[in-house]
Amino acid sequence: MGPVSIGNSNYIIELLRLSQTLMLVKNFHWIVIEDSEKKTKLVENLLKESTIKYTHLNVKTNKAKHSTASGVEQRNLALDWLRKYLQTPEGAPGVVFFMDDDNTYSLKVFEEMRKVKRVGVWPVGIVGGMRVERPLVTDGKVSGFSALWKPYRPFPLDMAGFAINATLFLDYPEAKFSRKVQSGFQESEILKYFATVKDLEPLADNCTKVYVWHTRTQKMAILNPKKLKHPPINDDHIEV
Ligand SMILES: *[C@@H]1O[C@H](CO)[C@@H](O)[C@H](O)[C@H]1NC(C)=O
């Protein structure tokens, strides 16, 4: 039996799609956190049937706390687990990448992130009303960002657009996501512990290649750049 979607939720199908990409990634450890009171059999079976090294955890989002932030408890639980794991004999050096079940990842993004020393960044396709949201690179250094959605964020990046050297989570034990920040600021919230903009390592050919896409299952609108008050920096040369 394959996975079956429950009600109107396609998450298990998304997870299958993602798991079948991840099966092709070498030296990979998948930490899967379910937003639920208990681990579900559906996810457990999917993981067992995959060939991926994984850790399956769960934590229910605390709805009582009024906040639009999503994935905060889940990602923080993963970080708690990671910190303990890194201090065991099994804990090997690595790079942390925060994934979502509804994104599409090229295998190339996993190869790029192997180069990360502290924090690596790259473009993300079809996000924030743009064809591509990306760091701008001058002389091999990040000099700014092409982003339309809340461009005043300290790091106007999507969660899929960066990876962090795992050992930094031991160096900065206080680093975590927060329910207190408004939507779109989670990325800046975690990155502020590890880097300033000038420290970011531009990957994917100086941020000119797109290896990850925000393929939400809901309808995605791409805004017409010609109709915008502040049109994005020309990115017609970038294939999305
Ligand atoms: C990125 O740009 C720098 C500076 O122009 C250059 O030296 C380097 O080779 C480029 N890297 C890649 C991967 O294209």
Side-chain angles (χ1 to χ4, degrees):
M1 266 289 279
V4 178
S5 108
I6 311 170
N8 60 1
S9 161
N10 287 330
Y11 79 94
I12 200 74
I13 296 170
E14 302 288 357
L15 210 58
L16 177 71
R17 192 170 62 90
L18 178 55
S19 73
Q20 296 195 343
T21 298
L22 299 179
M23 280 192 220
L24 300 171
V25 182
K26 302 269 182 311
N27 296 320
F28 184 77
H29 189 136
W30 197 15
I31 307 172
V32 180
I33 320 287
E34 276 194 83
D35 183 351
S36 56
E37 305 281 2
K38 292 192 299 188
K39 288 172 203 157
T40 65
K41 271 271 171 280
L42 216 52
V43 174
E44 202 173 293
N45 290 342
L46 185 146
L47 290 170
K48 271 189 197 145
E49 284 178 21
S50 82
T51 57
I52 307 167
K53 184 176 180 189
Y54 68 86
T55 298
H56 184 191
L57 305 170
N58 67 289
V59 59
K60 180 96 184 130
T61 299
N62 188 350
K63 287 263 167 58
K65 292 179 199 159
H66 183 73
S67 161
T68 54
S70 65
V72 171
E73 288 86 350
Q74 290 75 25
R75 291 190 184 102
N76 282 342
L77 180 65
L79 293 179
D80 290 345
W81 182 90
L82 176 74
R83 286 184 171 103
K84 288 190 195 115
Y85 174 77
L86 288 174
Q87 296 178 80
T88 66
E90 253 190 288
V95 167
V96 177
F97 181 42
F98 298 101
M99 293 192 284
D100 278 319
D101 54 10
D102 52 6
N103 287 345
T104 300
Y105 304 91
S106 162
L107 293 175
K108 288 177 184 168
V109 79
F110 299 97
E111 289 314 308
E112 284 302 305
M113 70 182 75
R114 293 185 199 283
K115 301 172 190 166
V116 168
K117 294 189 191 79
R118 285 182 69 88
V119 179
V121 293
W122 49 79
V124 177
I126 328 179
V127 64
M130 301 178 82
R131 289 173 66 243
V132 55
E133 195 179 78
R134 64 189 171 99
L136 300 171
V137 178
T138 311
D139 297 332
K141 291 263 180 204
V142 175
S143 54
F145 300 89
S146 172
L148 289 179
W149 188 61
K150 300 185 181 177
Y152 48 87
R153 290 173 289 164
F155 295 91
L157 292 168
D158 186 82
M159 205 63 83
F162 64 89
I164 301 169
N165 191 315
T167 59
L168 291 183
F169 288 97
L170 290 181
D171 298 344
Y172 301 85
E174 71 283 17
K176 61 179 167 59
F177 294 94
S178 167
R179 277 231 150 260
K180 295 199 180 89
V181 303
Q182 57 163 305
S183 85
F185 281 71
Q186 291 299 337
E187 294 85 352
S188 299
E189 186 61 22
I190 197 76
L191 288 170
K192 73 176 186 192
Y193 291 98
F194 310 122
T196 60
V197 170
K198 68 170 174 31
D199 305 322
L200 299 174
E201 299 149 37
L203 296 173
D205 283 357
N206 283 323
C207 297
T208 61
K209 295 287 191 332
V210 180
Y211 297 147
V212 52
W213 297 261
H214 220 257
T215 42
R216 292 225 169 264
T217 32
Q218 72 221 36
K219 273 198 197 122
M220 260 300 294
I222 306 264
L223 307 173
N224 181 349
K226 291 195 183 80
K227 290 191 178 158
L228 296 171
K229 212 156 106 194
H230 304 289
I233 286 140
N234 190 311
D235 55 28
D236 289 348
H237 61 294
I238 294 183
E239 199 178 307
V240 180

